[in-house]
Every structure is written in C-alpha cells, then in structure tokens.
Amino acid sequence: MIKYKFRNLTILLWIFFAALPSLANSNNLEILTHNKSDISQSQIITSPELDNSPYTKLENLLADNKWQEADEETYDLILTLTQRKRGGGINTRAIKEKISCEEISNIDRLWRKYSEDKFGLSIQMSIYLETGNNLEAYDPQSYQLFGDKLGWRKARKWKQYEQLNFSENAPKGHLPIAIRELDATVNIPEFMITKRLRRILYSKVQECNL
C-alpha cells in the first residue's frame, strides 16, 4: 500500500514538474501581453491628437449657437485667407485669387450644418440671384430687394451691424455678414460699402459650385 501511494505521488510530482515550464511561459506571455496593452493604452491617453484646423473655433461657436461671435470669427477667417488685417480692408482680387474652393466650402458647410440650412454664403448667393441681382454688375434696385429679403434693411434703410438679428429667429440668409469695414469713417452702412465685395464673394461661391 505504501509503495502504491509513493508511486502515485511520484507520478503526480513528475506531471507537475513537466508542466511547470509551460505554465511559466504562459504566465510570462500573459504578463508581456498585459504590459504591452498597458503601454499602448498609456500612449493613447497621454498622446491625444492635436486639432490644428483653422475652423475649429468657428465650429465650436456655431455648435453653441453663438451667432454673432461666429460671424466675427468668419470675418477674421476671411481676413486670414486673404492675408489682410482688420482695418486694412479686403479687395476683390484677394477674394478671387487667395481664397480656395476648399476654404470657402468649409466656411459655408459649417454655417449650413449648424443652422440647418438657414444661414450660409451659398444660401445668400441663391437669394441674391433670386432677387434679380447678377454676378457681373451691381444693380441698386435689385440689391435693395436682396437687403430687404435678408433682413438687412428695414423701412427702406440699411441697418447698422449692431441692429442685426444674431439669433435663430433671423430671416433665412441673414448670416453670416462675413465681410465688414470696421474702420469706415463715413456714415454709410457697411452693406453699401461692401456691395462690390459681396458680389465677388458670391461669384466665388458659384464658381466653387456650393
């Protein structure tokens, strides 16, 4: 009986020691795999992707329904794209040559997305043409109808920037104003000063098939 028990014990010990290297390798593999997973996860957490898009601020403002701030940012974006500064003015050549279709499309897309197609440069261009304006020459009467339709005029008078409606209740196409002349010294609404620039801007929108 003792010999039988001893024999069984010997067999069990032999099986244990035979399996020990395999167990050790399995544990090491699990440890290595676990450590590798930890390192990978650590890299994801500590190395987030940096968003360097110039449109990030505009998108955040639009997502928060901060319409006036978004309009100001749109103006600054156009200044940057045309390599101009506030007070320095924007010229038609800069709009034609320095703003790409991708850039104007990005601005328009964001406005349309967050306003559910109520605001945007392409929305304005459609209304511009619908009210009898054309992209080749300025027509005073048609431009006034355009201003009436967008809510930029009231009682036959052009509104000042501060009088505009920066809310979701604004008329279709009311925003963005986009092009401004902040340092204009004459007592003329910005919409009249920038009428030629707007025509060129809408020509760019049409050229880019927006």
Side-chain angles (χ1 to χ4, degrees):
M1 179 66 70
I2 294 175
K3 288 182 179 181
Y4 180 79
K5 289 183 177 180
F6 180 78
R7 181 183 175 186
N8 288 344
L9 179 60
T10 301
I11 293 171
L12 290 173
L13 288 173
W14 181 84
I15 293 172
F16 174 78
F17 285 111
L20 189 59
S22 177
L23 289 171
N25 289 337
S26 177
N27 288 336
N28 288 338
L29 180 61
E30 184 179 353
I31 291 171
L32 288 173
T33 304
H34 181 70
N35 288 342
K36 184 177 180 180
S37 177
D38 286 349
I39 292 171
S40 177
Q41 185 66 23
S42 175
Q43 289 174 341
I44 293 173
I45 294 172
T46 58
S47 303
E49 292 185 5
L50 297 177
D51 188 357
N52 294 318
S53 169
Y55 309 98
T56 300
K57 182 178 179 180
L58 174 60
E59 181 161 18
N60 290 338
L61 290 170
L62 289 170
D64 291 338
N65 295 331
K66 296 181 178 179
W67 304 110
Q68 183 167 357
E69 292 91 332
D71 182 64
E72 293 281 0
E73 177 62 15
T74 301
Y75 173 62
D76 285 334
L77 272 173
I78 290 177
L79 285 175
T80 300
L81 294 174
T82 54
Q83 299 176 7
R84 311 292 290 184
K85 295 181 179 180
R86 287 199 176 210
I90 304 173
N91 58 54
T92 56
R93 184 176 179 179
I95 293 174
K96 290 179 179 178
E97 299 180 0
K98 295 185 181 297
I99 301 180
S100 70
C101 285
E102 180 181 0
E103 291 163 338
I104 201 72
S105 176
N106 285 334
I107 293 172
D108 183 59
R109 176 180 55 81
L110 289 173
W111 274 96
R112 293 189 63 164
K113 174 183 177 181
Y114 290 100
S115 69
E116 298 183 351
D117 282 338
K118 187 171 187 178
F119 304 141
L121 297 174
S122 60
I123 301 294
Q124 289 175 0
M125 184 204 68
S126 296
I127 298 173
Y128 185 81
L129 296 175
E130 288 170 3
T131 49
N133 292 276
N134 67 75
L135 300 173
E136 302 299 325
Y138 167 67
D139 179 81
Q141 187 174 1
S142 295
Y143 192 67
Q144 289 173 5
L145 291 175
F146 172 66
D148 292 338
K149 188 79 172 180
L150 266 61
W152 291 353
R153 282 187 8 130
K154 184 177 182 181
R156 299 183 179 182
K157 291 184 179 180
W158 290 92
K159 295 179 180 179
Q160 299 295 337
Y161 186 76
E162 295 75 17
Q163 298 174 319
L164 298 176
N165 186 347
F166 294 101
S167 76
E168 294 178 353
N169 298 323
K172 186 174 183 177
H174 192 74
L175 300 171
I177 307 306
I179 298 176
R180 301 186 60 194
E181 292 291 346
L182 299 181
D183 294 339
T185 55
V186 291
N187 188 27
I188 302 175
E190 294 168 16
F191 302 108
M192 295 304 296
I193 300 173
T194 59
K195 59 184 183 294
R196 185 163 181 257
L197 289 174
R198 292 187 186 285
R199 179 169 57 82
I200 300 303
L201 182 63
Y202 298 149
S203 297
K204 187 73 177 184
V205 170
Q206 186 183 64
E207 176 191 328
C208 297
N209 296 316
L210 301 183

